[in-house]
Amino acid sequence: MKVEFAPLNIPLERRLQTAAVFQWVLSFLLLAEVCIGVLLLLIVYNYWFLYIPYLTWLYFDWRTPEQGGRRSNWVRSWTVWKYFKDYFPIHLIKTEDLDPSHNYIFGFHPHGVLVAGAFGNFCTNYSDFKKLFSGFTAYLHVLPIWFRCPLFREYLMSSGPVSVSKKSVSHVLSKEGGGNISIIVLGGAEESLDAHPGSFTLFIRQRKGFVKIALTHGAYLVPVFSFGENELFKQVSNPEGSLLRTVQDKLQKVMGFALPLFHARGVFQYNFGLVPYRKPIHTVVGHPIPVQQTQHPTPEQIEELHQTYMEELRKLFEEHKGKYGIPENVTLIFR
């Protein structure tokens, strides 16, 4: 295979964009392990004056990811996130104004491999979120396991993510007077294993917990589809029933997160690497679905609202797919 190297005359701006995205990928693949390793070294070499205060503080701070987190506007405004957003680039599109007197759940689809669109739009200060949704605060909910990694949890929370646990979502949606948005990537880790270019398979049929919590709090539901999310990486072929997929499914059930074998381009060449392809991401926020607060929703009420949500999600996709190069005969597959 002939290796295609990046030309030497690439503008500095594009080089900085590539570097920003590369560090973001590495931070999610390796930073947690590095942070754990650093803490273990401090313990092994008995730097007690460092690790004992941190572990003591960690004990008292353990629930913070379920209580709104601890975001830092300084971190969210790092210039690296501007380059990150402009690399793809990432766009946020609003289809309808939202009433800031309500709280909302944004159902984000698809998961993709690393959810770049959700991070770029809702965890940095360089997206159009504040301009389009003035008066709102967005909370991206991620797997609780990330907040169990010492040191890494502090870095992650500084950008705004919080736990996807029921307590955490309830905390966000309990704000009096509204103005909070919970962003939940509904397909979860399982869906990332189907994040192949050209794939539009969403794991949604059995995901009903978000509907129940929306009813409990009277939070309006809003489908969100991120066009281009699945185009950023290629994966090793893993069809249902294959040995690789069987192993991935079992590991996902045991560990709680998936291990897609993905690849894209490199920093200095375009054939292979962990840098995502430079493909545009258009995250389209759909129409809100009004939800009447019901403290103890019945299974029938949950099922009815769940069906309504899937219908609105499909409408959103069908209405906008042509704008982003998706053929007319392509439709969403709900699993």
Side-chain angles (χ1 to χ4, degrees):
M1 180 180 67
K2 185 179 179 181
V3 178
E4 183 184 357
F5 289 97
L8 297 177
N9 61 343
I10 292 178
L12 177 61
E13 183 88 2
R14 288 174 70 88
R15 292 183 184 276
L16 291 173
Q17 291 170 2
T18 302
V21 171
F22 187 52
Q23 70 81 28
W24 175 77
V25 173
L26 289 182
S27 71
F28 279 97
L29 294 180
L30 299 175
L31 189 56
E33 292 82 352
V34 170
C35 288
I36 293 173
V38 168
L39 184 62
L40 290 176
L41 285 175
L42 292 176
I43 294 173
V44 168
Y45 289 98
N46 199 27
Y47 285 90
W48 60 268
F49 53 91
L50 293 177
Y51 72 78
I52 287 182
Y54 176 72
L55 291 178
T56 302
W57 177 80
L58 182 62
Y59 174 80
F60 290 104
D61 191 64
W62 192 250
R63 297 299 178 190
T64 297
E66 293 185 335
Q67 297 169 349
R70 184 172 50 248
R71 67 183 59 202
S72 164
N73 272 321
W74 175 66
V75 173
R76 289 168 61 94
S77 298
W78 283 353
T79 306
V80 68
W81 304 132
K82 175 185 179 297
Y83 290 120
F84 171 85
K85 170 184 174 289
D86 292 343
Y87 172 85
F88 300 98
I90 298 174
H91 306 277
L92 185 64
I93 296 96
K94 179 178 71 172
T95 60
E96 186 175 324
D97 290 334
L98 301 183
D99 183 353
S101 66
H102 294 291
N103 293 315
Y104 295 81
I105 293 179
F106 281 13
F108 188 94
H109 311 270
H111 184 288
V113 172
L114 293 178
V115 209
F119 181 85
N121 279 313
F122 305 117
C123 296
T124 77
N125 288 340
Y126 290 99
S127 78
D128 290 330
F129 176 81
K130 282 297 181 185
K131 181 174 71 174
L132 296 176
F133 299 98
S134 178
F136 286 95
T137 303
Y139 295 84
L140 177 62
H141 296 270
V142 302
L143 288 174
I145 191 172
W146 293 116
F147 299 106
R148 296 170 190 155
C149 299
L151 301 177
F152 177 75
R153 69 193 291 275
E154 325 307 337
Y155 168 74
L156 183 60
M157 273 194 290
S158 65
S159 294
V162 293
S163 173
V164 76
S165 69
K166 182 179 178 181
K167 284 184 179 180
S168 178
V169 178
S170 292
H171 177 87
V172 172
L173 298 179
S174 296
K175 182 188 176 186
E176 293 292 334
N180 277 357
I181 300 174
S182 280
I183 297 104
I184 305 176
V185 187
L186 295 176
E190 189 177 10
E191 191 174 277
S192 69
L193 297 177
D194 275 323
H196 296 272
S199 171
F200 297 97
T201 300
L202 305 181
F203 286 69
I204 183 68
R205 292 196 181 277
Q206 303 305 316
R207 306 292 205 269
K208 299 180 182 180
F210 76 101
V211 175
K212 183 176 181 179
I213 203 166
L215 283 164
T216 302
H217 291 277
Y220 285 21
L221 290 174
V222 182
V224 177
F225 198 91
S226 195
F227 293 90
E229 197 77 41
N230 282 350
E231 310 302 314
L232 307 184
F233 296 95
K234 293 178 181 177
Q235 285 195 56
V236 175
S237 180
N238 60 342
E240 291 285 345
S242 66
L243 176 61
L244 174 59
R245 186 56 172 266
T246 301
V247 172
Q248 288 175 320
D249 287 339
K250 288 183 178 178
L251 287 174
Q252 189 263 321
K253 287 181 173 64
V254 171
M255 299 186 299
F257 59 91
L259 294 173
L261 298 182
F262 64 91
H263 61 90
R265 52 159 287 192
V267 176
F268 302 110
Q269 46 76 33
Y270 297 140
N271 294 73
F272 190 85
L274 296 177
V275 179
Y277 294 114
R278 196 184 284 266
K279 302 281 188 178
I281 299 173
H282 294 88
T283 303
V284 184
V285 180
H287 303 294
I289 303 169
V291 177
Q292 183 68 40
Q293 185 172 15
T294 308
Q295 289 294 340
H296 303 286
T298 65
E300 291 75 22
Q301 290 173 315
I302 294 172
E303 182 63 31
E304 181 182 2
L305 184 55
H306 187 253
Q307 288 297 322
T308 301
Y309 178 85
M310 290 196 295
E311 290 169 8
E312 289 298 320
L313 174 59
R314 191 179 294 279
K315 285 181 187 176
L316 177 68
F317 178 80
E318 292 295 329
E319 182 180 344
H320 294 275
K321 67 181 183 182
K323 302 174 188 176
Y324 307 115
I326 300 173
E328 185 63 33
N329 63 327
V330 173
T331 60
L332 293 179
I333 299 172
F334 291 156
R335 294 185 55 187

